Amino acid sequence: MSFPQALFSTPSAFVRRGLDALARTVDQVMPLTGARRRDAPDACRELSALLTSRRDELARPYWTSPRLTSAYLRYVLPWNLVRLTALLPGLPLDAPRPAADEKTAPRQGGNPDEFLVFDLGSGPCTFPLALWLARPDWRRRAVTVAATDSAPHILDLGRRIFEALRAELDPASPWILRTWRAPLHAAPGQLRGRPRLITLGNVLNELEERERRGTSLRDTLATLLDNMAGLLAPGGRVLAVEPGTRQGGRLISTLRDMALGRGMEPDEDEEPDMPLSAANQAWDGNAHRFRVLAPCPHHEPCPMLARGVKAWCHVHAPAGAAPGALTELSRAAGLSKESVSLSFLCLERDGTARSAAAGRGAVSAGGADGSPRLRARVISDAFVLPDMPGRARYACTEQGLALIPDAAFLPPGALCEVCPEPRTDAKSGARIMTLPGRGTGADDQTARPDAPRGRLREESRTAGRKRHTPTRASSAPSGRNDARQPRPRRPRPR
């Protein structure tokens, strides 16, 4: 295995065609009057605020308002597809195997040989659309997608968008998309068959909203994990994706540790000796029902959930694949994007017992110099440190948060090998780890055999246009870009 390994993929021509066709398709499914089209930027800006900074003001779901539903389909849905279609090609999702009779044999729900995908909280079928666009190895096989949501109207819109895109782009694709109304807690009991993949897009943050109304998040996550473990076929996968906000990253980290059999740690405002609920205690005793496939390079406790750590796990997908109509609408709404952040977790149903040391991040006894090496996942953009060469990045390892000097060339979210050093960064507490062969004294512009010199020069030209501007709510690996600032600075961990 060679390192570094990029997380995100360059969009294929098919993906670009699909993203370009989406705006036309949405216009067919939900036409706009002239007045509504002129209002679209304002509606998108309002919806974005209601889903983020003004979430407490969202008294009713967005889909109860035609104006906000239109904004969701024209702004939120395409940006979600931009980030998912960049992420999905590189994830370890086993493609359906071709069957000799898949073109002629009828497929019925509950068929043990059926390749079934179960999408919970589907909304406008975002995950099915992204899988179909981004994975040709899936698109060309007989796949049945069962998509559920508590809102039948938005599900129907998503189904119509999918059918229209398929008719335009690949009418021979044998996919079957079944949708039905079901809340998250009831949907698993209504499914016929054993899914090979369960997807959850932007679902966990809605679960936390319910906690504010009296439902325990810990109990809900424990029940959700138990249901998914019981439903999945052997070796089946779970893929959860959330926005790359502090809330989204924390929820993904919590789901990860609970999936590995660790109870959720109490929040800072809770008593440290508060007993876990009965459901959470029951789940906590069933260790190793899942194993982590991505993004984590280890199975140790998530360092982002440690007390006192304000950082959160998230990565930034490139936004270059966004079609012109989407970027223009975003610009008109004052919501221009250079990248789109996300937090995600890919799990595999694991029926075998594993030792506590299984899946640790050490991948080599050492390099040529005999130094041990660990796997590390990059979780920040590059930033300048005055006492280190080049530009550094934060990364996650089995030994906790790491600071990697001279790492500007690494792709966003890359998986790499690092060599631990016997010192920590005084400001962040992160352990300093170096890339093999680069150390802490290498020049940021040192040529690399794995990248053309032109790209290095381009990095040096663009470095001055990026800066981290931490606020009281920022974290170590915040990774936000601001083209108005002259140089990138270290995000301030707290």
Side-chain angles (χ1 to χ4, degrees):
M1 183 180 293
S2 60
F3 294 95
Q5 295 180 5
L7 175 63
F8 297 109
S9 301
T10 302
S12 67
F14 188 89
V15 167
R16 290 185 179 275
R17 285 176 57 205
L19 293 176
D20 285 340
L22 181 63
R24 298 192 305 272
T25 303
V26 171
D27 280 344
Q28 296 169 10
V29 170
M30 192 175 188
L32 286 180
T33 64
R36 280 287 174 86
R37 192 169 296 279
R38 290 189 295 272
D39 176 60
D42 290 339
C44 293
R45 183 167 53 250
E46 180 180 342
L47 177 63
S48 177
L50 289 172
L51 294 177
T52 53
S53 59
R54 293 166 48 198
R55 188 150 191 151
D56 290 343
E57 299 177 29
L58 191 61
R60 296 185 301 169
Y62 72 88
W63 45 262
T64 61
S65 163
R67 177 173 179 264
L68 296 183
T69 298
S70 171
Y72 194 99
L73 296 182
R74 289 173 165 82
Y75 173 76
V76 178
L77 172 61
W79 275 121
N80 281 339
L81 291 180
V82 167
R83 64 177 183 166
L84 287 175
T85 52
L87 175 69
L88 289 170
L91 293 185
L93 304 176
D94 293 338
R97 295 180 180 179
D101 60 347
E102 70 176 14
K103 292 185 178 181
T104 58
R107 287 185 282 151
Q108 302 293 332
N111 181 348
D113 296 324
E114 178 183 47
F115 196 99
L116 180 61
V117 176
F118 191 25
D119 187 32
L120 290 165
S122 188
C125 300
T126 306
F127 244 122
L129 284 165
L131 271 171
W132 189 82
L133 288 171
R135 295 292 297 251
D137 53 340
W138 286 56
R139 185 171 62 249
R140 296 163 184 161
R141 302 299 181 197
V143 172
T144 298
V145 179
T148 67
D149 199 282
S150 59
H153 172 59
I154 199 69
L155 266 178
D156 181 64
L157 289 171
R159 181 187 56 78
R160 291 163 59 192
I161 291 171
F162 172 80
E163 297 294 352
L165 284 177
R166 174 165 59 178
E168 177 178 346
L169 301 174
D170 189 359
S173 174
W175 275 38
I176 294 176
L177 176 59
R178 295 189 284 120
T179 62
W180 74 90
R181 178 183 183 180
L184 188 68
H185 68 275
Q190 299 174 10
L191 182 69
R192 296 176 59 194
R194 303 196 68 182
R196 313 292 180 90
L197 173 66
I198 297 176
T199 52
L200 305 100
N202 298 347
V203 169
L204 302 184
N205 63 83
E206 295 185 7
L207 295 181
E208 188 165 57
E209 293 297 318
R210 297 177 191 175
E211 183 181 39
R212 298 174 185 175
R213 299 193 293 267
T215 303
S216 167
L217 177 65
R218 300 177 185 180
D219 288 354
T220 302
L221 290 180
T223 301
L224 176 64
L225 285 164
D226 194 50
N227 286 339
M228 293 191 298
L231 280 175
L232 282 169
R237 310 289 163 88
V238 172
L239 178 57
V241 178
E242 291 291 315
T245 60
R246 183 188 299 274
Q247 179 196 35
R250 176 175 49 79
L251 289 169
I252 286 289
S253 294
T254 298
L255 182 70
R256 172 208 185 266
D257 271 15
M258 292 186 71
L260 294 179
R262 301 184 183 98
M264 179 177 172
E265 292 296 324
D267 294 332
E268 290 188 356
D269 58 350
E270 294 179 343
E271 294 296 328
D273 59 347
M274 180 180 291
L276 298 177
S277 67
N280 201 31
Q281 289 182 28
W283 175 259
D284 195 47
N286 292 310
H288 305 313
R289 297 182 67 175
F290 291 94
R291 68 186 186 97
V292 179
L293 300 181
C296 315
H298 59 87
H299 284 83
E300 299 301 305
C302 178
M304 306 303 168
L305 293 180
R307 286 191 178 277
V309 174
K310 299 298 184 181
W312 69 95
C313 181
H314 66 294
V315 290
H316 286 260
L326 176 59
T327 56
E328 180 57 37
L329 176 61
S330 301
R331 189 179 302 111
L335 300 168
S336 297
K337 300 178 186 294
E338 295 180 2
S339 63
V340 280
S341 66
L342 60 95
S343 299
F344 77 98
L345 179 67
C346 185
L347 301 169
E348 180 182 41
R349 177 71 169 91
D350 188 5
T352 61
R354 294 180 291 111
S355 68
R360 289 193 175 184
V363 297
S364 172
D369 58 357
S371 59
R373 294 183 181 180
L374 302 176
R375 289 183 183 177
R377 175 72 71 180
V378 171
I379 56 171
S380 82
D381 283 340
F383 54 90
V384 170
L385 287 177
D387 55 344
M388 290 188 182
R391 289 175 288 152
R393 292 185 187 271
Y394 285 104
C396 179
T397 75
E398 70 167 65
Q399 295 183 6
L401 189 66
L403 180 62
I404 309 177
D406 194 22
F409 69 91
L410 292 174
L415 184 67
C416 59
E417 279 189 327
V418 292
C419 304
E421 299 237 338
R423 57 197 180 107
T424 59
D425 176 53
K427 187 171 184 178
S428 66
R431 183 164 182 181
I432 296 173
M433 301 191 186
T434 60
L435 297 167
R438 295 182 77 85
T440 57
D443 192 320
D444 190 45
Q445 301 306 315
T446 301
R448 308 186 308 278
D450 59 325
R453 290 179 180 270
R455 184 172 178 183
L456 286 175
R457 289 195 293 270
E458 176 64 22
E459 287 173 354
S460 68
R461 287 196 299 268
T462 60
R465 297 196 295 270
K466 300 173 75 176
R467 175 188 177 104
H468 287 283
T469 53
T471 64
R472 295 285 298 176
S474 67
S475 72
S478 64
R480 295 189 180 274
N481 296 332
D482 189 338
R484 296 172 296 179
Q485 300 295 337
R487 298 184 67 199
R489 299 291 183 183
R490 176 219 295 262
R492 183 179 65 185
R494 299 179 56 202

